[in-house]
Amino acid sequence: KAICWPFWENCRHYRLLGEGQIQILLCFYLFVALLSAALFLKKSWITTAWWVLLLLNFFKLAILVQDFQLRLNQHYMAGWVSLVFLFFPKKRELIPLLIAFFYFWAGILKLNSEWLSGQALYAEPWLISGKLLPAACIYVVVLEIILVWGIFSRRSWLFWTTFFQLVLFHVFSWKIVGFFYPTVMFALIAIYPLTRLRREMTQSPLQDLGRGRLPKSSYAVLTLFSFLQILPAFFPGDAALTREGRLFALHMFDAKVECEAYALLKRRDGATKQVDLYLNLPVRIRCDPIVYFNRAKYLCSLRHPQLGFSDFDLHLNSKKASEKNLHPIVDLKNFCAADPHYDLWRHNAWIGR
């Protein structure tokens, strides 16, 4: 069964597309994407290209909201860049700044012992292991928080050194996160050399930002994006485990989380049976309470008090890789009778720690 987004309340019955249908859908998406890019090459077609790109983004969004498993960091960042490109002025200045903000907030998220020790990684990158691994993780944080701003330098050597480091970082991340994320990032950061080679760098977007020379809308976008990154800090507990507030923030792996999830089925005669609910999903979401909230909602639709179970208790116990013991994150008695809901913007009382 699909893992529903938290704002779908009745995601219990749906129709799965076949492999052939999915291929047709993706080929259509690719065709429209190439058409949009081609239309932007001619000035007289810009208006048409703008509408095609807008419709393309709505089409993509319609696909992504079908299943929570499709919530990937690369879609999140590409969506933000598309939003700025479509609706905001001074794109050549704002988009490079926004991408730098991606790196900065990703670095802030990594300021924890899990990442700095290397335990947050799912696999070892190429040529880096042992004592080099923590050093490499610390370097990534320094690169994303401090060194990345060198991309706005008017000094060519500093610009190209920074750009080369970003490229190298994504090359080494390939083994850990797969091809999709680095490929998207290569496409996004290509704006840096393209805008630099197009015209002589006389004033950097970063200087314009600091001196108040950008439109108010640019400050609004960067402020909103930054607010969404600190939103998880307003929720109680460890956001790496509870995931509350992280839905609209960068989907970086700041900690490697392990968990167990099960339901304790109850019969009317008092008998109980434990059922494993754990799903071997991508690491970033496999221990998210949303996943097991949805599994439990579906399980409620299967109950039959006369022939099967009348209700069940939902349990989710999680821990970070550096911790020894699992901690209760969800311990909800009589789930179906309680009929809990998932609130996007407020703490959910049924999620602990």
Side-chain angles (χ1 to χ4, degrees):
K1 295 297 180 180
I3 305 302
C4 304
W5 284 76
F7 39 79
W8 295 136
E9 285 295 330
N10 296 307
C11 180
R12 297 177 183 174
H13 305 288
Y14 54 89
R15 179 176 176 272
L16 291 175
L17 294 177
E19 184 177 348
Q21 293 172 308
I22 293 175
Q23 290 298 326
I24 293 174
L25 194 67
L26 293 178
C27 287
F28 173 75
Y29 179 83
L30 175 61
F31 170 76
V32 178
L34 294 174
L35 175 63
S36 174
L39 290 172
F40 274 107
L41 296 176
K42 191 171 182 180
K43 193 172 183 179
S44 59
W45 294 343
I46 292 294
T47 300
T48 303
W50 185 93
W51 280 105
V52 173
L53 182 58
L54 178 64
L55 293 174
L56 183 69
N57 276 276
F58 276 116
F59 179 72
K60 179 181 179 181
L61 183 62
I63 296 174
L64 297 181
V65 298
Q66 299 303 307
D67 197 325
F68 183 66
Q69 297 173 79
L70 299 177
R71 192 268 194 256
L72 300 174
N73 212 39
Q74 45 267 41
H75 297 314
Y76 179 82
M77 292 189 285
W80 270 97
V81 171
S82 297
L83 178 69
V84 169
F85 182 82
L86 287 168
F87 295 107
F88 290 84
K90 305 286 282 187
K91 308 178 198 305
R92 289 199 185 106
E93 290 76 19
L94 182 52
I95 291 177
L97 284 168
L98 179 61
I99 295 172
F101 271 55
F102 292 164
Y103 286 106
F104 174 79
W105 285 110
I108 295 297
L109 188 62
K110 294 182 178 77
L111 288 175
N112 61 74
S113 59
E114 292 283 317
W115 175 268
L116 298 176
S117 66
Q119 295 184 76
L121 297 180
Y122 314 146
E124 290 185 350
W126 289 310
L127 307 176
I128 300 175
S129 60
K131 294 182 180 180
L132 286 178
L133 194 57
C137 290
I138 293 172
Y139 156 75
V140 169
V141 172
V142 174
L143 171 64
E144 292 184 323
I145 294 179
I146 301 173
L147 301 182
V148 69
W149 304 108
I151 204 72
F152 298 108
S153 175
R154 285 182 289 177
R155 296 182 176 88
S156 293
W157 70 269
L158 183 53
F159 168 84
W160 289 109
T161 299
T162 305
F163 183 74
F164 174 74
Q165 289 183 85
L166 295 178
V167 171
L168 196 62
F169 165 57
H170 291 297
V171 168
F172 275 86
S173 73
W174 200 294
K175 182 182 175 183
I176 302 172
V177 299
F179 80 96
F180 191 9
Y181 175 65
T183 301
V184 172
M185 290 310 300
F186 289 147
L188 292 181
I189 65 176
I191 193 173
Y192 292 120
L194 289 175
T195 54
R196 189 179 186 90
L197 294 173
R198 178 180 170 83
R199 59 182 181 180
E200 187 67 27
M201 177 73 74
T202 56
Q203 190 79 15
S204 80
L206 190 60
Q207 289 177 318
D208 290 337
L209 178 71
R211 296 175 181 177
R213 295 175 178 173
L214 294 179
K216 292 180 179 179
S217 58
S218 298
Y219 293 92
V221 168
L222 297 176
T223 300
L224 175 61
F225 176 79
S226 298
F227 169 74
L228 292 177
Q229 309 317 305
I230 64 174
L231 182 63
F234 294 99
F235 288 80
D238 189 339
L241 299 177
T242 68
R243 312 303 294 176
E244 289 188 294
R246 294 288 292 269
L247 186 63
F248 297 114
L250 286 166
H251 202 40
M252 298 292 178
F253 54 95
D254 54 315
K256 185 178 179 181
V257 180
E258 302 167 2
C259 64
E260 63 176 13
Y262 61 92
L264 191 63
L265 305 185
K266 301 176 180 180
R267 293 175 58 95
R268 281 191 169 181
D269 59 9
T272 60
K273 179 183 179 181
Q274 183 171 312
V275 177
D276 186 16
L277 297 181
Y278 180 78
L279 288 176
N280 190 26
L281 297 172
V283 180
R284 300 187 202 188
I285 67 169
R286 69 175 53 158
C287 292
D288 195 317
I290 291 175
V291 172
Y292 302 102
F293 170 81
N294 277 279
R295 294 213 79 190
K297 283 287 187 180
Y298 177 72
L299 191 57
C300 283
S301 69
L302 302 179
R303 64 176 175 159
H304 195 299
Q306 300 299 327
L307 302 177
F309 62 95
S310 58
D311 212 328
F312 60 88
D313 301 336
L314 177 64
H315 297 274
L316 172 64
N317 303 316
S318 306
K319 75 179 187 69
K320 296 179 181 178
S322 61
E323 298 175 322
K324 293 183 179 180
N325 302 316
L326 295 168
H327 311 282
I329 303 300
V330 177
D331 183 7
L332 189 53
K333 308 296 183 184
N334 299 317
F335 182 91
C336 300
D339 191 25
H341 299 276
Y342 193 96
D343 195 313
L344 294 176
W345 300 103
R346 293 183 298 176
H347 171 59
N348 295 276
W350 52 272
I351 299 179
R353 209 190 177 196

